[in-house]
Amino acid sequence: MKRVTIKDIAQYLSISVSTVSRALIDDKNIRSETKAKVLEAAKLLGYRPNPVATNLKYGHTNTVGVIIPEGVTPFASQVISGIQSVLYPKGIKIIIADCGEDPDKERENLRLMEDFMVDGILINLCSHRKNKDEFLRLQKAEVPMVFYDRIPHGLNVSQVVVDDYMKAFFLVERLIRSGRKRIAHIQGPDEVYNSFERFRGYKDALAKFSLPLSEAMVIQTGMTFEDGARAADELLARGVDFDAVFAFTDTLAIGAMNRLREQGKAIPQEVGIASFSGTELSTIVYPQLTTVEQPLFRMGQQAAELILERIADFSSPYRTVILDADIKMRASTDIF
């Protein structure tokens, strides 16, 4: 159905477009009789003002783009809820683009947000290696951006993160102190910088207790439940003796846990399972999953607050906000 425009109203009333436009904004120089006719015609024809066109007159669209790497797990929805809790009360709407873990789609979505003339962009990266040129170009064009969770390592940007290294270190340390000495690691892709940091925490926790780091105990994989299951299959195929698994994300941990149980491994008696993310998935599986629980709603709120700062003043200093995260020990490691 064709959208009714002020031109349609002008043709209907046989008056000028400028007269209709001024009547609709209650211009004091337009006669009251003309205003009444314009408003009546607008209602009759089903006219609705175009908020984007109106806002562009004032240099803003009251929209913020949110670019996410995937929308399958609850991670994105919890962060977006936090973003909305800050932006919606201020009359700012969000446009969400899912990249499907594809950096090429991420680049397309960045340009899409630019074409839509959003006031700012919040982004959780697919890859810390790719699209840096695009981020630098947008910075030069003074497009406000804030990164959260997965960040473009090495760029000067505003960002909201947790300390992946320290929280991974402390979680693995707790596994070791509980008696787990042969801990395997399901590592995320190289494209995700958090993967490197969590692996580093795992490695240094082993070193603290003089436990050997075995290449056979580390499986690098993708991001899906199926990838977690395949990693578990690979550990079993290698014949390594492991009594715990620390996975990069809840998704990988659950995929691995389900496959290990299918193969007759008792969880947590034979193998303890722990992970990082703290989404709702960790509490709806059996046994419930030990994990580093990130404050996802607060992450979204903080990212939204930072983008508002940059929209208000693009020259404001870049800021890094490091949020705390809780280690939740649950039945998958039998530690309470």
Side-chain angles (χ1 to χ4, degrees):
M1 182 176 177
K2 180 179 177 293
R3 188 184 185 102
V4 176
T5 68
I6 60 174
K7 185 177 180 180
D8 296 321
I9 299 172
Q11 289 176 341
Y12 180 79
L13 294 173
S14 298
I15 59 177
S16 70
V17 170
S18 63
T19 298
V20 173
S21 178
R22 292 185 324 190
L24 289 172
I25 63 172
D26 198 22
D27 189 320
K28 64 181 181 180
N29 294 315
I30 300 296
R31 291 167 42 189
S32 58
E33 295 86 350
T34 303
K35 289 180 188 177
K37 288 181 180 179
V38 169
L39 292 175
E40 184 180 353
K43 184 177 180 180
L44 178 66
L45 297 175
Y47 170 77
R48 293 177 60 200
N50 185 334
V52 174
T54 302
N55 288 330
L56 281 174
K57 291 182 180 179
Y58 302 99
H60 57 79
T61 60
N62 283 335
T63 58
V64 165
V66 181
I67 301 179
I68 59 176
E70 57 85 19
V72 177
T73 68
F75 187 103
S77 63
Q78 290 178 251
V79 175
I80 288 169
S81 293
I83 293 169
Q84 290 175 327
S85 74
V86 173
L87 297 185
Y88 272 29
K90 298 182 180 298
I92 300 174
K93 302 299 187 287
I94 64 173
I95 301 171
I96 303 168
D98 182 347
C99 300
E101 298 290 359
D102 184 344
D104 291 333
K105 286 185 180 178
E106 180 179 86
R107 178 180 287 261
E108 290 175 10
N109 286 329
L110 283 165
R111 293 180 178 177
L112 178 69
M113 296 302 177
E114 189 177 20
D115 290 342
F116 282 174
M117 301 182 73
V118 296
D119 297 332
I121 300 173
L122 297 170
I123 179 167
N124 185 3
L125 297 184
C126 294
S127 169
H128 74 96
R129 303 174 190 270
K130 299 178 180 177
N131 294 331
K132 284 189 176 183
D133 60 328
E134 199 71 6
F135 303 140
L136 290 170
R137 184 186 66 78
L138 290 169
Q139 277 186 330
K140 189 174 181 180
E142 297 191 355
V143 175
M145 291 183 294
V146 171
F147 298 81
Y148 67 90
D149 186 45
R150 304 188 199 173
I151 59 174
H153 181 65
L155 291 187
N156 188 20
V157 295
S158 287
Q159 55 196 12
V160 184
V161 295
V162 300
D163 193 329
D164 289 271
Y165 167 77
M166 289 305 302
K167 291 302 178 179
F169 179 94
F170 289 144
L171 176 57
V172 175
E173 180 183 52
R174 290 184 67 169
L175 292 176
I176 295 169
R177 291 189 185 280
S178 74
R180 312 278 182 179
K181 305 296 183 184
R182 302 179 304 281
I183 304 171
H185 180 47
I186 301 178
Q187 187 179 3
D190 281 339
E191 295 299 317
V192 182
Y193 191 73
N194 312 51
S195 172
F196 172 76
E197 287 293 279
R198 293 174 197 176
F199 171 71
R200 193 165 65 89
Y202 159 79
K203 179 180 65 174
D204 287 356
L206 295 182
K208 176 179 176 179
F209 291 89
S210 300
L211 297 175
L213 174 64
S214 168
E215 289 186 6
M217 296 277 271
V218 178
I219 307 289
Q220 188 166 47
T221 186
M223 301 287 285
T224 68
F225 294 108
E226 291 76 15
D227 290 324
R230 282 191 288 268
D233 286 338
E234 181 63 24
L235 283 171
L236 294 173
R238 291 180 182 183
V240 294
D241 181 20
F242 59 97
D243 60 11
V245 173
F246 167 51
F248 173 60
T249 64
D250 292 348
T251 305
L252 291 174
I254 292 168
M257 182 167 68
N258 290 341
R259 181 55 54 83
L260 290 172
R261 291 176 67 187
E262 288 173 3
Q263 297 301 317
K265 295 290 185 180
I267 310 295
Q269 293 83 358
E270 291 182 76
V271 181
I273 307 290
S275 70
F276 204 117
S277 286
T279 65
E280 293 171 351
L281 294 176
S282 63
T283 60
I284 63 175
V285 294
Y286 180 81
Q288 290 192 351
L289 190 63
T290 288
T291 188
V292 175
E293 190 172 275
Q294 299 179 88
L296 301 180
F297 187 84
R298 180 57 189 150
M299 182 178 287
Q301 289 182 313
Q302 190 64 69
E305 290 165 6
L306 287 184
I307 200 66
L308 289 176
E309 287 181 13
R310 298 209 63 73
I311 291 171
D313 181 7
F314 185 81
S315 64
S316 62
Y318 293 115
R319 290 209 292 135
T320 295
V321 176
I322 302 175
L323 300 176
D324 195 16
D326 295 328
I327 296 176
K328 299 290 188 179
M329 308 305 293
R330 300 193 178 105
S332 69
T333 53
D334 201 24
I335 302 172
F336 298 96

